[in-house]
Amino acid sequence: MDVTVLDQLAAWAGDMLPRYPGWFAFDFGRYVIGAGSVYLIVNVLLSRSLKNRKIRTKTPGLRQIAREFKSSALAAATFSASGFLIDLGIRSGVMTIYGGETGYGTAYFVGSLLLMILAQDAYFYWTHRLLHLPKAFRRGHSEHHKSINPTPWTAYSFNIPEAAIHAAFVPLFLLFLPMHGFAIFLFLTHMIIRNAVGHSGYELFPRWWALHPILGQITMVTHHDMHHASGNKNFGLYFTWWDRLMGTEHPDYVAKATGNPAASRKSMGARATAATFAAVVGLAAATFIANPAGAQNDDIKGLWLADDGKTVVEVANCSEKSRRLCGTVVFQDGTNSGDAIGKELLMKFKGAKVQGQKRWESGKVAKLEGGKAQKGNLVLTSEGNLKVTSCARGRCSNQTWSRPSAAMAQKAAATRGGSR
């Protein structure tokens, strides 16, 4: 392996490893707060009020909860490792997590969040079924099913291989769609709350939901509780349609959920199946339509005159294989013999997808006079100028670059030609 590559990997690891404790604190804290809140409210404070909603007669003991807490800590440590994959994806330009200052609009925010939840439900159903294959179950899923009578603390009680499978979902989804950072936070919050509620052991949903044509698509607490009891039915996470489509819904689910032994429902028919998939496809299409086109690198490639009026910078791909853009000083009028020639002022910018803007992000901006390069962004204005923004410690400064005159461009071309 190239020594340069090893040096880059070592530098990256040195930068990323100190961040891992923070990632773990977030993932484990999310579990403790989410599962702990559900346990405190449902299983402790409201346990008497909800006694008629209790699914099992027995209550799991502290020994089970301690085991679940320990395995969940290991699972959270595994979830946190996905931060390395996401960082690599962002650095390589194949993943995007954007903030409020580069919003894609409300429609995209909502649509991408809903689509992420739907995609995770499908991902969970099929990976869950695979984990129930005999050879995969023992090493991949057995820890979760030690809790035959689950508690909210069961939510993340996984074998490490299963935790790795679940952790891979967010990086995989980011390969297809950019996500707002707050949308990811809402997704993760929804995931732990729904997961903890689904393991609470109390039916918290109205019983009539099970037979409702729309609300019946949502998995009630009884749905997953029966999975822990039987093991081979009810594989769904948030919705019942995959179980109904694939014939894996427990035949007694509706009767138990409603409390009516005579209650039942048919498997999803052709019309219901078509309507369900049409709705999902429609949401996906709407989200992709709302997703703005990325800025094209060709829009800003070429020569730019910096705001000092004498420095010409050439913007081009950082290397032959790189999709990112860099900007290098190629000419300075009147001081062509200076040290600035060849200095890189723009470093590793990538095109962003932002409504109403041609914008490049995730790069750094250096100054001619030297000093540490600062994080920044580039925006091609409607007048055809390049707005160069650099920020440090919450303070930002702006430069406005323009295309050089024909005479200046000729001088820069002559200088470049003579230096080859």
Side-chain angles (χ1 to χ4, degrees), residues 225-309:
D225 193 272
M226 293 180 77
H227 173 75
H228 276 263
S230 65
N232 292 314
K233 297 290 183 180
N234 296 2
F235 294 98
L237 180 60
Y238 305 132
F239 307 105
T240 63
W241 53 59
W242 284 109
D243 281 305
R244 296 176 68 188
L245 284 171
M246 305 310 299
T248 54
E249 185 172 83
H250 198 290
D252 298 330
Y253 163 61
V254 174
K256 189 163 186 176
T258 59
N260 179 6
S264 64
R265 66 178 176 186
K266 297 179 181 179
S267 298
M268 290 180 69
R271 290 184 180 180
T273 301
T276 299
F277 278 97
V280 174
V281 171
L283 175 62
T287 303
F288 278 100
I289 290 171
N291 183 7
Q296 301 300 310
N297 287 349
D298 287 342
D299 292 337
I300 60 169
K301 282 184 178 180
L303 300 179
W304 289 93
L305 181 65
D307 60 355
D308 64 358

Coordinates of all heavy atoms in Angstrom, one line a residue, residues 225-309:
D225 N -44.9 -8.4 20.9 CA -44.9 -9.2 22.1 C -45.1 -10.7 21.7 O -44.5 -11.6 22.3 CB -45.9 -8.7 23.1 CG -45.8 -9.4 24.5 OD1 -46.3 -10.5 24.7 OD2 -45.1 -8.7 25.3
M226 N -46.0 -10.9 20.8 CA -46.3 -12.2 20.3 C -45.1 -12.8 19.6 O -44.9 -14.0 19.6 CB -47.5 -12.2 19.4 CG -48.8 -11.9 20.1 SD -50.3 -11.9 19.1 CE -50.5 -13.7 18.9
H227 N -44.3 -12.0 18.9 CA -43.1 -12.4 18.3 C -42.1 -13.0 19.3 O -41.5 -14.1 19.1 CB -42.4 -11.3 17.5 CG -41.1 -11.7 16.9 ND1 -41.0 -12.5 15.8 CD2 -39.8 -11.4 17.3 CE1 -39.7 -12.7 15.6 NE2 -39.0 -12.1 16.5
H228 N -42.0 -12.3 20.5 CA -41.1 -12.8 21.5 C -41.7 -14.1 22.1 O -40.9 -15.0 22.6 CB -40.9 -11.8 22.6 CG -39.9 -10.8 22.3 ND1 -38.6 -10.8 22.8 CD2 -39.9 -9.6 21.5 CE1 -37.9 -9.8 22.3 NE2 -38.7 -9.1 21.5
A229 N -43.0 -14.3 22.1 CA -43.6 -15.5 22.7 C -43.4 -16.7 21.7 O -43.2 -17.8 22.1 CB -45.0 -15.2 23.0
S230 N -43.7 -16.4 20.4 CA -43.7 -17.5 19.4 C -42.4 -17.7 18.7 O -41.9 -18.8 18.3 CB -44.8 -17.4 18.4 OG -44.6 -16.2 17.6
G231 N -41.8 -16.5 18.3 CA -40.5 -16.5 17.6 C -40.5 -16.6 16.1 O -39.6 -16.2 15.5
N232 N -41.6 -17.2 15.5 CA -41.6 -17.4 14.1 C -42.7 -16.6 13.4 O -43.0 -16.9 12.2 CB -41.7 -18.9 13.8 CG -40.5 -19.7 14.2 OD1 -39.4 -19.3 13.9 ND2 -40.7 -20.8 14.9
K233 N -43.3 -15.7 14.0 CA -44.3 -14.8 13.4 C -44.1 -13.4 13.8 O -43.3 -13.1 14.7 CB -45.7 -15.3 13.8 CG -46.1 -16.7 13.4 CD -46.3 -16.8 11.9 CE -46.8 -18.2 11.6 NZ -47.0 -18.4 10.1
N234 N -44.8 -12.5 13.1 CA -44.7 -11.1 13.4 C -43.3 -10.5 13.4 O -42.8 -10.1 14.4 CB -45.4 -10.8 14.7 CG -46.9 -11.1 14.7 OD1 -47.4 -11.6 13.7 ND2 -47.6 -10.9 15.8
F235 N -42.7 -10.4 12.2 CA -41.3 -9.9 12.1 C -41.3 -8.4 11.9 O -40.2 -7.9 11.9 CB -40.6 -10.6 10.9 CG -40.5 -12.1 11.1 CD1 -41.3 -13.0 10.5 CD2 -39.4 -12.6 11.8 CE1 -41.2 -14.4 10.7 CE2 -39.2 -14.0 12.0 CZ -40.1 -14.9 11.4
G236 N -42.4 -7.8 11.6 CA -42.4 -6.3 11.3 C -42.0 -5.4 12.4 O -42.0 -5.8 13.6
L237 N -41.5 -4.2 12.1 CA -41.1 -3.3 13.1 C -42.1 -2.2 13.4 O -42.7 -2.2 14.5 CB -39.8 -2.6 12.6 CG -39.2 -1.5 13.5 CD1 -38.8 -2.1 14.8 CD2 -37.9 -0.9 12.8
Y238 N -42.4 -1.4 12.4 CA -43.4 -0.3 12.6 C -44.8 -0.6 12.0 O -45.8 -0.1 12.4 CB -42.9 1.0 12.0 CG -41.5 1.5 12.5 CD1 -40.5 1.9 11.6 CD2 -41.2 1.5 13.8 CE1 -39.3 2.3 12.0 CE2 -40.0 1.9 14.3 CZ -39.0 2.3 13.3 OH -37.8 2.7 13.8
F239 N -44.8 -1.4 10.9 CA -46.0 -1.6 10.2 C -46.2 -3.1 10.0 O -45.3 -3.9 10.0 CB -45.9 -0.9 8.8 CG -45.6 0.6 8.9 CD1 -44.3 1.0 8.6 CD2 -46.5 1.5 9.3 CE1 -44.0 2.4 8.7 CE2 -46.2 2.8 9.5 CZ -44.9 3.3 9.1
T240 N -47.5 -3.4 9.7 CA -47.9 -4.9 9.6 C -47.9 -5.4 8.2 O -48.1 -6.6 8.0 CB -49.3 -5.1 10.2 OG1 -50.2 -4.3 9.5 CG2 -49.3 -4.6 11.7
W241 N -47.7 -4.5 7.2 CA -48.0 -4.9 5.8 C -47.0 -6.0 5.3 O -47.4 -6.8 4.5 CB -48.1 -3.7 4.9 CG -46.9 -2.8 4.8 CD1 -45.6 -3.0 4.6 CD2 -47.0 -1.4 5.1 NE1 -44.9 -1.9 4.6 CE2 -45.7 -0.9 5.0 CE3 -48.0 -0.5 5.4 CZ2 -45.4 0.5 5.1 CZ3 -47.7 0.8 5.6 CH2 -46.5 1.3 5.4
W242 N -45.8 -6.0 5.7 CA -44.9 -7.0 5.2 C -45.3 -8.4 5.8 O -45.2 -9.4 5.0 CB -43.4 -6.7 5.6 CG -42.8 -5.6 4.8 CD1 -42.5 -4.3 5.2 CD2 -42.4 -5.7 3.4 NE1 -41.9 -3.6 4.1 CE2 -41.9 -4.4 3.0 CE3 -42.5 -6.7 2.5 CZ2 -41.4 -4.2 1.8 CZ3 -42.0 -6.5 1.2 CH2 -41.5 -5.2 0.8
D243 N -45.7 -8.4 7.0 CA -46.1 -9.7 7.6 C -47.4 -10.2 6.9 O -47.6 -11.4 6.6 CB -46.4 -9.6 9.1 CG -45.1 -9.6 9.9 OD1 -44.4 -10.6 9.8 OD2 -44.9 -8.7 10.7
R244 N -48.3 -9.2 6.6 CA -49.5 -9.6 5.9 C -49.3 -10.0 4.5 O -50.0 -11.0 4.0 CB -50.5 -8.4 6.0 CG -50.9 -8.1 7.5 CD -51.8 -6.9 7.5 NE -53.1 -7.1 6.9 CZ -54.1 -6.2 6.7 NH1 -53.8 -5.0 7.0 NH2 -55.2 -6.5 6.2
L245 N -48.4 -9.4 3.8 CA -48.1 -9.7 2.4 C -47.4 -11.1 2.3 O -47.7 -11.8 1.4 CB -47.2 -8.6 1.8 CG -47.9 -7.3 1.4 CD1 -46.8 -6.3 1.0 CD2 -48.8 -7.5 0.3
M246 N -46.5 -11.3 3.3 CA -45.7 -12.5 3.2 C -46.3 -13.7 4.0 O -45.6 -14.8 4.1 CB -44.3 -12.2 3.7 CG -43.6 -11.1 3.0 SD -43.6 -11.2 1.1 CE -42.7 -12.8 0.9
G247 N -47.4 -13.5 4.6 CA -48.1 -14.6 5.3 C -47.4 -14.9 6.6 O -47.5 -16.1 7.1
T248 N -46.7 -14.0 7.2 CA -46.0 -14.3 8.5 C -46.6 -13.6 9.7 O -46.1 -13.6 10.8 CB -44.5 -13.8 8.4 OG1 -44.5 -12.4 8.0 CG2 -43.7 -14.6 7.4
E249 N -47.8 -13.0 9.5 CA -48.5 -12.5 10.7 C -49.2 -13.6 11.5 O -49.7 -14.6 10.9 CB -49.6 -11.5 10.2 CG -50.3 -10.8 11.4 CD -51.2 -9.7 11.0 OE1 -52.4 -10.0 10.6 OE2 -50.7 -8.5 11.0
H250 N -49.1 -13.5 12.8 CA -49.6 -14.6 13.7 C -51.1 -14.6 13.5 O -51.8 -13.6 13.5 CB -49.3 -14.3 15.1 CG -49.4 -15.4 16.0 ND1 -50.7 -16.0 16.4 CD2 -48.5 -16.2 16.7 CE1 -50.5 -17.0 17.2 NE2 -49.2 -17.2 17.4
P251 N -51.7 -15.8 13.3 CA -53.1 -15.9 13.0 C -54.0 -15.4 14.2 O -55.2 -15.1 14.0 CB -53.3 -17.4 12.8 CG -52.1 -18.1 13.4 CD -51.0 -17.1 13.2
D252 N -53.4 -15.4 15.4 CA -54.2 -15.0 16.6 C -53.9 -13.5 16.9 O -54.4 -13.1 18.0 CB -53.9 -15.9 17.8 CG -54.3 -17.3 17.5 OD1 -55.2 -17.6 16.8 OD2 -53.6 -18.2 18.1
Y253 N -53.2 -12.8 16.1 CA -52.8 -11.5 16.5 C -54.0 -10.5 16.7 O -54.1 -9.9 17.7 CB -51.8 -10.9 15.4 CG -51.7 -9.4 15.5 CD1 -51.2 -8.7 16.7 CD2 -52.1 -8.5 14.4 CE1 -51.1 -7.4 16.8 CE2 -52.0 -7.2 14.5 CZ -51.5 -6.6 15.7 OH -51.4 -5.2 15.8
V254 N -54.9 -10.5 15.7 CA -56.0 -9.5 15.8 C -56.9 -9.9 17.0 O -57.4 -9.0 17.7 CB -56.8 -9.5 14.5 CG1 -58.0 -8.7 14.7 CG2 -55.9 -9.0 13.4
A255 N -57.1 -11.2 17.2 CA -58.0 -11.6 18.3 C -57.4 -11.2 19.7 O -58.1 -10.7 20.6 CB -58.2 -13.1 18.3
K256 N -56.1 -11.3 19.8 CA -55.4 -11.0 21.0 C -55.3 -9.5 21.2 O -55.5 -8.9 22.3 CB -54.0 -11.6 21.1 CG -53.4 -11.5 22.5 CD -52.2 -12.4 22.7 CE -51.7 -12.3 24.1 NZ -50.6 -13.3 24.4
A257 N -55.0 -8.8 20.1 CA -54.9 -7.3 20.2 C -56.2 -6.6 20.5 O -56.2 -5.7 21.3 CB -54.3 -6.8 18.9
T258 N -57.3 -7.1 20.0 CA -58.6 -6.5 20.2 C -59.3 -7.0 21.5 O -60.2 -6.4 22.0 CB -59.6 -6.8 19.1 OG1 -59.7 -8.2 18.9 CG2 -59.0 -6.2 17.8
G259 N -58.8 -8.2 22.0 CA -59.4 -8.8 23.2 C -60.7 -9.6 22.8 O -61.5 -10.0 23.7
N260 N -61.0 -9.7 21.5 CA -62.1 -10.4 21.0 C -61.7 -11.7 20.3 O -61.1 -11.7 19.2 CB -62.9 -9.5 20.0 CG -64.1 -10.2 19.4 OD1 -64.5 -11.3 19.8 ND2 -64.8 -9.6 18.5
P261 N -61.9 -12.9 20.9 CA -61.5 -14.2 20.3 C -62.0 -14.4 18.9 O -61.4 -15.2 18.2 CB -62.0 -15.2 21.3 CG -62.2 -14.4 22.6 CD -62.6 -13.1 22.2
A262 N -63.1 -13.8 18.6 CA -63.7 -14.0 17.3 C -63.2 -13.1 16.2 O -63.5 -13.2 15.0 CB -65.3 -13.9 17.3
A263 N -62.4 -12.1 16.6 CA -62.0 -11.1 15.6 C -60.9 -11.6 14.7 O -60.0 -12.4 15.2 CB -61.4 -9.8 16.4
S264 N -60.9 -11.3 13.5 CA -59.9 -11.7 12.5 C -59.9 -10.8 11.3 O -60.8 -10.0 11.2 CB -60.2 -13.1 12.1 OG -61.4 -13.2 11.3
R265 N -58.9 -10.9 10.5 CA -58.9 -10.1 9.3 C -58.1 -10.9 8.2 O -57.3 -11.8 8.5 CB -58.2 -8.7 9.5 CG -56.7 -8.8 9.8 CD -56.1 -7.5 9.9 NE -54.7 -7.5 10.3 CZ -53.9 -6.5 10.7 NH1 -54.4 -5.3 10.6 NH2 -52.7 -6.6 11.0
K266 N -58.5 -10.6 7.0 CA -57.9 -11.4 5.9 C -56.5 -10.8 5.6 O -56.1 -9.7 6.0 CB -58.8 -11.2 4.7 CG -60.2 -11.8 4.8 CD -61.0 -11.6 3.6 CE -62.4 -12.2 3.7 NZ -63.2 -12.0 2.5
S267 N -55.7 -11.6 4.9 CA -54.4 -11.1 4.4 C -54.7 -10.0 3.4 O -55.8 -9.9 2.9 CB -53.7 -12.3 3.7 OG -53.4 -13.3 4.6
M268 N -53.7 -9.2 3.2 CA -53.9 -8.1 2.3 C -54.2 -8.5 0.9 O -53.5 -9.4 0.3 CB -52.6 -7.2 2.3 CG -52.4 -6.4 3.6 SD -50.9 -5.4 3.5 CE -51.4 -4.2 2.4
G269 N -55.3 -8.0 0.3 CA -55.7 -8.4 -1.0 C -54.9 -7.6 -2.1 O -54.0 -6.8 -1.7
A270 N -55.2 -7.9 -3.3 CA -54.4 -7.3 -4.4 C -54.6 -5.8 -4.4 O -53.6 -5.0 -4.6 CB -54.9 -7.9 -5.7
R271 N -55.8 -5.3 -4.1 CA -56.0 -3.8 -4.2 C -55.3 -3.2 -3.0 O -54.7 -2.1 -3.2 CB -57.5 -3.6 -4.1 CG -58.3 -3.9 -5.3 CD -59.8 -3.5 -5.2 NE -60.5 -3.8 -6.4 CZ -61.8 -3.6 -6.5 NH1 -62.5 -3.0 -5.5 NH2 -62.5 -3.9 -7.6
A272 N -55.4 -3.7 -1.8 CA -54.7 -3.1 -0.7 C -53.2 -3.2 -0.9 O -52.5 -2.2 -0.5 CB -55.1 -3.9 0.6
T273 N -52.7 -4.3 -1.4 CA -51.3 -4.4 -1.7 C -50.8 -3.3 -2.7 O -49.8 -2.6 -2.5 CB -50.9 -5.8 -2.3 OG1 -51.3 -6.8 -1.3 CG2 -49.4 -5.9 -2.5
A274 N -51.6 -3.2 -3.8 CA -51.3 -2.2 -4.8 C -51.3 -0.8 -4.2 O -50.5 0.1 -4.5 CB -52.2 -2.3 -6.0
A275 N -52.3 -0.5 -3.4 CA -52.5 0.9 -2.8 C -51.3 1.2 -1.9 O -50.8 2.3 -1.9 CB -53.8 1.0 -2.1
T276 N -50.9 0.2 -1.1 CA -49.8 0.4 -0.2 C -48.5 0.7 -0.9 O -47.8 1.7 -0.6 CB -49.6 -0.9 0.7 OG1 -50.8 -1.1 1.5 CG2 -48.4 -0.7 1.7
F277 N -48.2 -0.1 -1.9 CA -47.0 0.1 -2.6 C -47.0 1.4 -3.5 O -46.0 2.1 -3.6 CB -46.7 -1.1 -3.5 CG -46.0 -2.2 -2.8 CD1 -46.7 -3.3 -2.3 CD2 -44.6 -2.1 -2.5 CE1 -46.1 -4.3 -1.6 CE2 -44.0 -3.2 -1.8 CZ -44.7 -4.2 -1.4
A278 N -48.2 1.7 -4.0 CA -48.4 3.0 -4.7 C -48.1 4.2 -3.8 O -47.5 5.2 -4.3 CB -49.8 3.1 -5.3
A279 N -48.6 4.1 -2.6 CA -48.3 5.2 -1.6 C -46.9 5.4 -1.3 O -46.3 6.5 -1.3 CB -49.1 5.0 -0.4
V280 N -46.2 4.2 -1.1 CA -44.7 4.3 -0.8 C -44.0 4.8 -2.0 O -43.1 5.7 -1.9 CB -44.2 2.9 -0.4 CG1 -42.7 2.9 -0.3 CG2 -44.9 2.4 0.9
V281 N -44.3 4.3 -3.2 CA -43.6 4.7 -4.5 C -43.9 6.2 -4.7 O -43.0 7.0 -5.1 CB -44.0 3.9 -5.7 CG1 -43.5 4.5 -7.0 CG2 -43.6 2.5 -5.5
G282 N -45.1 6.7 -4.4 CA -45.5 8.1 -4.6 C -44.7 9.0 -3.7 O -44.2 10.0 -4.1
L283 N -44.5 8.5 -2.4 CA -43.7 9.3 -1.4 C -42.3 9.4 -1.9 O -41.7 10.4 -1.8 CB -43.8 8.7 -0.1 CG -43.0 9.3 1.0 CD1 -43.4 10.8 1.3 CD2 -43.1 8.5 2.3
A284 N -41.7 8.2 -2.3 CA -40.4 8.2 -2.8 C -40.2 9.1 -4.0 O -39.2 9.9 -4.1 CB -39.9 6.8 -3.2
A285 N -41.1 9.1 -5.0 CA -41.0 10.0 -6.1 C -41.1 11.4 -5.7 O -40.3 12.2 -6.3 CB -42.1 9.6 -7.1
A286 N -42.0 11.7 -4.8 CA -42.2 13.1 -4.4 C -40.9 13.6 -3.7 O -40.5 14.8 -3.9 CB -43.4 13.3 -3.5
T287 N -40.3 12.8 -2.9 CA -39.0 13.1 -2.2 C -37.9 13.4 -3.2 O -37.2 14.4 -3.1 CB -38.6 12.0 -1.2 OG1 -39.7 11.8 -0.3 CG2 -37.4 12.4 -0.5
F288 N -37.8 12.5 -4.2 CA -36.7 12.7 -5.2 C -37.0 13.9 -6.0 O -36.0 14.6 -6.4 CB -36.6 11.4 -6.1 CG -35.8 10.3 -5.5 CD1 -36.4 9.3 -4.9 CD2 -34.4 10.4 -5.5 CE1 -35.7 8.2 -4.3 CE2 -33.7 9.4 -5.0 CZ -34.3 8.3 -4.4
I289 N -38.2 14.2 -6.3 CA -38.6 15.4 -7.1 C -38.2 16.7 -6.3 O -37.7 17.7 -6.8 CB -40.0 15.5 -7.5 CG1 -40.3 14.4 -8.5 CG2 -40.4 16.8 -8.0 CD1 -41.8 14.2 -8.8
A290 N -38.5 16.6 -5.0 CA -38.2 17.8 -4.1 C -36.7 17.9 -3.9 O -36.2 18.9 -3.4 CB -38.9 17.6 -2.8
N291 N -35.9 16.9 -4.2 CA -34.5 16.9 -4.0 C -33.8 17.7 -5.1 O -33.9 17.3 -6.3 CB -34.0 15.4 -4.0 CG -32.5 15.3 -3.8 OD1 -31.8 16.3 -3.4 ND2 -31.9 14.2 -3.9
P292 N -33.2 18.8 -4.8 CA -32.7 19.7 -5.8 C -31.5 19.1 -6.5 O -30.8 18.3 -5.9 CB -32.3 21.0 -5.1 CG -32.1 20.5 -3.7 CD -33.0 19.4 -3.5
A293 N -31.2 19.5 -7.7 CA -30.1 19.0 -8.5 C -28.8 19.5 -7.8 O -28.8 20.7 -7.4 CB -30.2 19.4 -9.9
G294 N -27.8 18.7 -7.8 CA -26.5 19.2 -7.3 C -25.8 20.2 -8.2 O -26.0 20.2 -9.4
A295 N -25.0 21.0 -7.5 CA -24.2 22.0 -8.3 C -23.2 21.2 -9.2 O -22.6 20.2 -8.8 CB -23.5 22.9 -7.3
Q296 N -23.1 21.7 -10.5 CA -22.2 21.1 -11.4 C -20.8 21.7 -11.4 O -20.7 22.9 -11.4 CB -22.8 21.2 -12.8 CG -24.2 20.6 -13.0 CD -24.2 19.1 -12.7 OE1 -23.3 18.3 -13.2 NE2 -25.1 18.7 -11.9
N297 N -19.8 20.9 -11.2 CA -18.5 21.4 -11.1 C -18.0 22.3 -12.3 O -17.3 23.3 -12.1 CB -17.5 20.3 -10.9 CG -17.6 19.7 -9.5 OD1 -18.2 20.2 -8.6 ND2 -16.9 18.5 -9.3
D298 N -18.5 22.0 -13.5 CA -18.2 22.7 -14.7 C -18.6 24.2 -14.6 O -18.1 25.1 -15.2 CB -18.8 22.1 -15.9 CG -18.1 20.8 -16.3 OD1 -16.9 20.6 -15.8 OD2 -18.7 20.0 -17.1
D299 N -19.6 24.5 -13.7 CA -20.1 25.8 -13.5 C -19.1 26.8 -13.0 O -19.1 28.0 -13.3 CB -21.3 25.8 -12.6 CG -22.5 25.2 -13.2 OD1 -22.6 25.1 -14.4 OD2 -23.4 24.7 -12.4
I300 N -18.1 26.3 -12.2 CA -17.1 27.2 -11.7 C -15.7 26.8 -12.0 O -14.7 27.4 -11.5 CB -17.2 27.3 -10.1 CG1 -17.0 25.9 -9.5 CG2 -18.6 27.9 -9.7 CD1 -16.9 26.0 -8.0
K301 N -15.5 25.8 -12.9 CA -14.1 25.5 -13.3 C -13.6 26.6 -14.2 O -14.3 27.3 -14.8 CB -14.1 24.2 -14.1 CG -14.2 22.9 -13.2 CD -14.1 21.7 -14.1 CE -14.1 20.4 -13.2 NZ -14.0 19.2 -14.0
G302 N -12.3 26.8 -14.1 CA -11.6 27.8 -14.9 C -11.0 28.9 -14.1 O -10.7 28.7 -12.9
L303 N -10.8 30.0 -14.7 CA -10.0 31.1 -14.0 C -11.0 32.1 -13.3 O -12.0 32.4 -13.8 CB -9.2 31.9 -15.1 CG -8.2 31.1 -15.9 CD1 -7.4 31.9 -16.9 CD2 -7.2 30.4 -14.9
W304 N -10.5 32.5 -12.1 CA -11.2 33.5 -11.3 C -10.3 34.6 -10.8 O -9.1 34.3 -10.5 CB -11.9 32.8 -10.1 CG -13.1 32.0 -10.5 CD1 -13.0 30.6 -10.7 CD2 -14.4 32.4 -10.7 NE1 -14.3 30.2 -11.1 CE2 -15.1 31.2 -11.1 CE3 -15.1 33.6 -10.7 CZ2 -16.5 31.3 -11.4 CZ3 -16.4 33.6 -10.9 CH2 -17.1 32.5 -11.3
L305 N -10.7 35.8 -10.8 CA -10.0 36.9 -10.3 C -10.4 37.2 -8.9 O -11.5 37.5 -8.6 CB -10.2 38.2 -11.2 CG -9.4 39.4 -10.8 CD1 -7.9 39.2 -11.0 CD2 -9.9 40.6 -11.6
A306 N -9.4 37.0 -8.0 CA -9.7 37.2 -6.5 C -10.1 38.7 -6.3 O -9.8 39.6 -7.1 CB -8.5 36.8 -5.7
D307 N -10.6 39.0 -5.1 CA -11.1 40.3 -4.9 C -10.0 41.4 -4.7 O -10.3 42.6 -4.6 CB -12.1 40.3 -3.7 CG -11.4 39.8 -2.4 OD1 -10.3 39.4 -2.4 OD2 -12.1 39.9 -1.3
D308 N -8.7 41.0 -4.7 CA -7.7 42.0 -4.6 C -7.4 42.6 -6.0 O -6.6 43.5 -6.2 CB -6.4 41.4 -4.1 CG -5.8 40.3 -4.9 OD1 -6.4 39.9 -6.0 OD2 -4.7 39.7 -4.6
G309 N -8.0 42.0 -7.1 CA -7.9 42.5 -8.4 C -6.7 42.2 -9.2 O -6.5 42.6 -10.3

